[in-house]
RNA sequence: GGUCAAGUGGCCGAGAGGCAAGGUAGGGGUCUGCAAAACCCUGGACGGCGGUUCGAAUCCGCCCUUGACUUCCA
């Protein structure tokens, strides 16, 4: 089966055909670095990291662009227009760029904790003011925007009129009907500079107190909230590129506006495939600033939050996210995270054992049903990924394989039951999906050689005690190590393994 | 109000006309000096009412409940 994605634009699954294979261009809306990232933010970045990894694994040459929004957005709707970043900076008595730098570093640290690959380019909004101004100039020149008092607004109604006839009405992505919105909102429009409520800002005049401001043909100001993504995606990926990703909450208005702006400038729908991940919920409610129910990533990693009964590692969270399909909501709870933690541990330990195991020769005792089962489970995994990235189903197969692996490990199945070529296929594909595509990694790293030597010594002493039936000594060693967070396990084959809690 | 989703065991979640994945928790067993881990067995779920169909968790209608978007948001 060929690779298929659910395209929000067409509301159906479509075969993925890159515009210029083997090259693939992918743009994902990144964070606004005016504050700390929370669990909800982790989802798109992990989801699209897995997509990035999968495309690379399939042999595509991918340019993955994920922006950093470090120029403030303004707010409206009765509230005082303000630049989010400079306003928070005033409260915290920080320079805007100091704040941006702090949260950018924290964000990038969190991405590394998750083992997300770095995007190919991570452009900043403030680094592309010139490109944004150029784009606004083009839109003005084409008559799809107007200037009022030093601000520039996109004329949504005119765009809709002209482009509806070309089959691309405003609302094509989100399914909104502009006429309905115009009717229901016109009365509220009085004091606004905008001709229509549905118009959106391309450039905003900066009030005197704003710190973040740039020179433009329309005076000092700052870019509107949607233009940066259009400017940066077209600069680095071209006028038309393959994949545009982001959270479902960005579908309207953000992505709708991107489409309108880019289409006016470049005369083409910017992206072929629009992918949207669903939200992470807390007690059924979207995790978000406005709901005051966020758990920040640093809190999650440390366990330092009233709703958390313990700390959860970045890999546990990554695994938790991959256990569901990206287009469904995913509900947070301690119980669910603890389930994920245990499951990941079991998967990872079986995988580690598998990779260390050396099988040299088939013994002729091969269990054909088992071999066939393993081959089928392995083959299905790619099918599941191709079906709109069904990571949940891939994991289900990985767990069935885990049971087979552990059966061999514990001697419930003879080592020869798995044929050499099946075994090698298993090793190769487990590595491919667990590490290369899912990006999972071990967490008990950093054991240096000295520590291992010390532990091996203790294991030897304990083994000697056990063979003399001196269980007082052997249990003392095991218990005290356990208190230090080192867990000893007596394996079936007489060996002893350890792991850090 | 408008638009769009979703409701599956205790919990988290796949599935989208034909035996209801997987994880975790529960019960029983095997192994073990004891543990831990692992393996095996096992109970337990499709919001409600109608309809279409040989057959519905899946399609249609109505209802109930929850959520998202509605120009800040991953």
């Amino acid at each position: 089966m060929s690779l298929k994605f659910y395209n929000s634009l067409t509301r159906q699954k479509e075969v993925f055909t890159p515009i210029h294979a083997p090259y693939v261009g992918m743009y994902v809306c990144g964070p606004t670095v005016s504050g700390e990232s929370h669990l909800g933010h982790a989802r798109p970045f992990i989801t699209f990291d897995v997509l990035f990894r999968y495309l690379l694994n399939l042999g595509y040459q991918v340019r993955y662009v994920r922006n950093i929004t470090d120029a403030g957005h303004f707010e409206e709707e009765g509230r005082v227009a303000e630049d989010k970043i400079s306003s928070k900076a005033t409260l915290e008595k920080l320079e805007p760029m100091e704040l941006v730098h702090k949260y950018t570093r924290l964000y990038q640290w969190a991405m590394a904790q998750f083992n997300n690959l770095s995007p190919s380019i991570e452009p900043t909004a403030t680094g592309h003011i010139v490109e944004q101004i150029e784009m606004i100039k083009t839109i003005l020149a084409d008559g799809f925007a107007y200037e009022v008092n030093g601000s520039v607004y996109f004329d949504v109604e005119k765009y809709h009129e002209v482009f509806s006839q070309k089959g691309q009405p405003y609302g094509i992505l989100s399914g909104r009907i502009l006429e309905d919105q115009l009717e229901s909102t016109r009365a509220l429009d009085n004091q606004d500079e905008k001709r229509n409520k549905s118009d959106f800002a391309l450039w905003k005049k900066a009030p005197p107190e704003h710190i973040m401001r740039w020179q433009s043909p329309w005076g000092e100001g700052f870019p509107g909230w949607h233009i940066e993504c259009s400017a940066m995606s077209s600069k680095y990926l071209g006028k038309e590129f393959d994949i545009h990703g982001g959270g479902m909450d960005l579908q309207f208005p953000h992505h709708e506006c991107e489409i309108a702006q880019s289409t006016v400038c470049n005369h083409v729908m910017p992206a072929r495939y629009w992918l949207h991940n669903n939200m992470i919920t807390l007690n059924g409610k979207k995790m978000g600033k406005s709901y005051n129910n966020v758990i920040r990533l640093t809190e999650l990693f440390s366990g330092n939050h009233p709703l958390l009964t313990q700390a959860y590692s970045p890999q546990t969270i990554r695994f938790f996210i991959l256990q569901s399909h990206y287009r469904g909501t995913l509900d947070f709870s301690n119980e669910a995270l603890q389930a994920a933690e245990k499951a990941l541990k079991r998967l990872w330990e079986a995988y580690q054992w598998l990779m260390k195991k050396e099988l040299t020769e088939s013994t002729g005792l091969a269990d054909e049903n088992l071999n066939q089962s393993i081959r089928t489970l392995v083959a299905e995994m790619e099918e599941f990924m191709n079906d709109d990235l069904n990571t949940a189903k891939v994991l289900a197969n990985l767990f069935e394989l885990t049971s087979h692996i552990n059966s061999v490990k514990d001697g419930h199945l003879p080592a020869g039951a798995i044929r050499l070529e099946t075994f090698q296929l298993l090793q190769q594909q487990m590595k491919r999906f667990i590490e290369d595509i899912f990006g999972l990694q071990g967490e008990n790293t950093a054991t240096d050689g000295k520590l291992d030597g010390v532990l091996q010594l203790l294991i030897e002493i304990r083994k000697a005690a056990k063979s003399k039936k001196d269980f007082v000594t052997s249990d003392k060693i095991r218990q005290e190590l356990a208190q230090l967070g080192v867990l000893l396990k007596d394996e079936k084959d007489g060996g002893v393994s350890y792991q850090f809690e």
Side-chain angles (χ1 to χ4, degrees):
Chain A
M1 183 168 83
S2 44
L3 180 56
K4 284 183 182 168
F5 301 133
Y6 180 87
N7 189 350
S8 305
L9 190 60
T10 56
R11 294 171 190 81
Q12 60 188 2
K13 280 185 201 169
E14 292 179 342
V15 173
F16 176 62
T17 313
I19 301 168
H20 304 293
Y23 300 98
V24 171
M26 175 161 88
Y27 188 90
V28 172
C29 293
T32 301
V33 283
S34 60
E36 245 191 272
S37 297
H38 58 74
L39 175 58
H41 295 116
R43 196 170 196 192
F45 304 139
I46 289 172
T47 298
F48 291 109
D49 179 62
V50 169
L51 174 56
F52 180 39
R53 287 168 174 274
Y54 189 52
L55 291 169
L56 291 173
N57 191 271
L58 292 176
Y60 290 111
Q61 294 182 38
V62 187
R63 180 176 292 166
Y64 173 24
V65 179
R66 188 179 63 203
N67 68 300
I68 288 180
T69 300
D70 59 349
H73 287 159
F74 67 91
E75 295 173 347
E76 54 176 5
E77 270 297 301
R79 284 169 280 182
V80 183
E82 61 181 358
D83 174 327
K84 260 161 89 179
I85 287 172
S86 67
S87 137
K88 182 106 184 260
T90 308
L91 292 175
E92 295 193 6
K93 299 204 189 313
L94 284 172
E95 275 300 311
M97 273 302 154
E98 190 179 351
L99 187 70
V100 157
H101 183 67
K102 175 182 165 187
Y103 287 120
T104 300
R105 289 194 51 174
L106 199 52
Y107 161 74
Q108 285 172 335
W109 170 81
M111 293 302 103
Q113 294 295 300
F114 283 130
N115 198 27
N116 283 342
L117 297 176
S118 174
S120 321
I121 307 176
E122 207 161 24
T124 60
T126 54
H128 297 77
I129 300 292
V130 172
E131 288 84 351
Q132 296 179 66
I133 289 175
E134 285 307 309
M135 211 163 174
I136 296 167
K137 279 157 76 176
T138 306
I139 298 170
L140 269 170
D142 283 357
F144 286 96
Y146 52 92
E147 185 193 343
V148 184
N149 299 329
S151 293
V152 181
Y153 296 97
F154 190 92
D155 189 337
V156 170
E157 206 167 352
K158 177 165 181 193
Y159 171 86
H160 184 62
E161 241 175 70
V162 173
F163 283 88
S164 282
Q165 301 182 4
K166 301 180 182 177
Q168 202 175 302
Y170 184 79
I172 189 172
L173 179 67
S174 56
R176 270 155 209 283
I177 299 177
L178 184 61
E179 286 81 357
D180 296 350
Q181 296 180 59
L182 291 177
E183 274 174 32
S184 64
T185 54
R186 196 157 283 173
L188 306 167
D189 230 355
N190 305 341
Q191 310 117 312
D192 210 319
E193 292 174 340
K194 297 193 285 190
R195 288 181 192 163
N196 286 296
K197 189 174 178 264
S198 51
D199 294 349
F200 57 89
L202 294 169
W203 188 263
K204 263 307 234 193
K205 179 182 183 170
E209 68 274 17
H210 265 233
I211 306 168
M212 277 201 166
R213 56 204 301 139
W214 289 269
Q215 275 298 339
S216 80
W218 317 286
E220 286 200 351
F222 54 93
W225 357 308
H226 310 300
I227 194 73
E228 64 171 279
C229 287
S230 287
M232 295 190 281
S233 63
S234 56
K235 172 164 183 172
Y236 296 114
L237 299 173
K239 294 175 176 180
E240 191 183 18
F241 54 94
D242 297 297
I243 298 169
H244 194 306
M248 253 177 202
D249 48 354
L250 296 182
Q251 197 168 342
F252 187 88
H254 182 58
H255 292 159
E256 203 72 73
C257 296
E258 267 187 75
I259 289 174
Q261 296 160 348
S262 293
T263 303
V264 168
C265 286
N266 301 325
H267 313 287
V268 62
M269 166 69 74
R272 291 275 182 94
Y273 303 88
W274 290 81
L275 274 57
H276 292 100
N277 63 277
N278 213 320
M279 301 294 106
I280 288 182
T281 56
L282 184 59
N283 296 322
K285 266 210 159 61
K286 173 185 170 183
M287 189 176 288
K289 273 172 278 186
S290 31
Y291 299 98
N292 222 4
N293 65 349
V294 302
I295 302 176
R296 292 184 289 198
L297 294 176
T298 49
E299 294 168 334
L300 219 36
F301 298 163
S302 67
N304 187 22
H305 187 284
L307 289 170
L308 298 176
T309 57
Q310 62 167 89
Y312 300 100
S313 73
Q315 290 304 301
T316 297
I317 292 157
R318 188 177 183 98
F319 178 89
F320 173 65
I321 286 171
L322 294 178
Q323 260 190 319
S324 67
H325 188 261
Y326 74 94
R327 277 192 295 109
T329 54
L330 172 59
D331 203 44
F332 164 88
S333 67
N334 281 286
E335 226 180 331
L337 263 296
Q338 281 159 12
E341 185 178 54
K342 289 205 172 182
L344 173 60
K345 193 171 152 207
R346 184 158 79 89
L347 175 67
W348 189 259
E349 280 177 18
Y351 170 60
Q352 291 299 101
W353 179 86
L354 176 77
M355 296 312 279
K356 283 184 196 139
K357 176 79 180 168
E358 283 175 33
L359 205 67
T360 44
E361 198 57 49
S362 295
T363 58
L365 297 166
D367 176 340
E368 284 313 319
N369 287 335
L370 177 66
N371 281 271
Q372 186 54 50
S373 160
I374 290 173
R375 281 194 300 268
T376 304
L377 287 167
V378 162
E380 281 173 347
M381 293 198 287
E382 186 163 325
E383 298 288 298
F384 295 154
M385 280 304 282
N386 284 344
D387 186 14
D388 198 29
L389 307 177
N390 200 327
T391 54
K393 280 185 121 178
V394 174
L395 277 174
N397 278 27
L398 286 172
F399 277 100
E400 299 214 19
L401 292 169
T402 293
S403 293
H404 291 320
I405 292 166
N406 282 332
S407 290
V408 175
K409 178 186 170 200
D410 279 0
H412 298 302
L413 287 172
I418 301 178
R419 280 214 303 264
L420 185 58
E421 67 258 32
T422 310
F423 192 84
Q424 285 165 342
L425 176 77
L426 184 60
Q427 281 186 326
Q428 178 203 325
Q429 293 297 313
M430 290 283 281
K431 179 184 181 299
R432 181 180 175 220
F433 281 92
I434 292 176
E435 291 202 65
D436 301 343
I437 296 172
F438 282 3
L440 294 168
Q441 62 181 2
E443 306 199 84
N444 302 323
T445 47
T447 73
D448 63 31
K450 284 180 193 166
L451 181 56
D452 184 65
V454 171
L455 285 167
Q456 291 305 337
L457 179 63
L458 285 167
I459 287 168
E460 282 309 312
I461 293 170
R462 178 166 170 269
K463 207 181 268 179
K466 270 179 71 177
S467 65
K468 285 185 275 181
K469 303 243 186 267
D470 177 7
F471 297 122
V472 175
T473 303
S474 74
D475 286 354
K476 181 181 165 72
I477 291 172
R478 189 172 64 195
Q479 277 161 22
E480 301 215 345
L481 281 177
Q483 281 186 357
L484 293 169
V486 182
L487 226 61
L488 294 188
K489 290 193 285 190
D490 295 330
E491 301 291 346
K492 281 279 172 334
D493 58 9
V496 179
S497 67
Y498 65 85
Q499 69 176 81
F500 299 107
E501 283 285 83

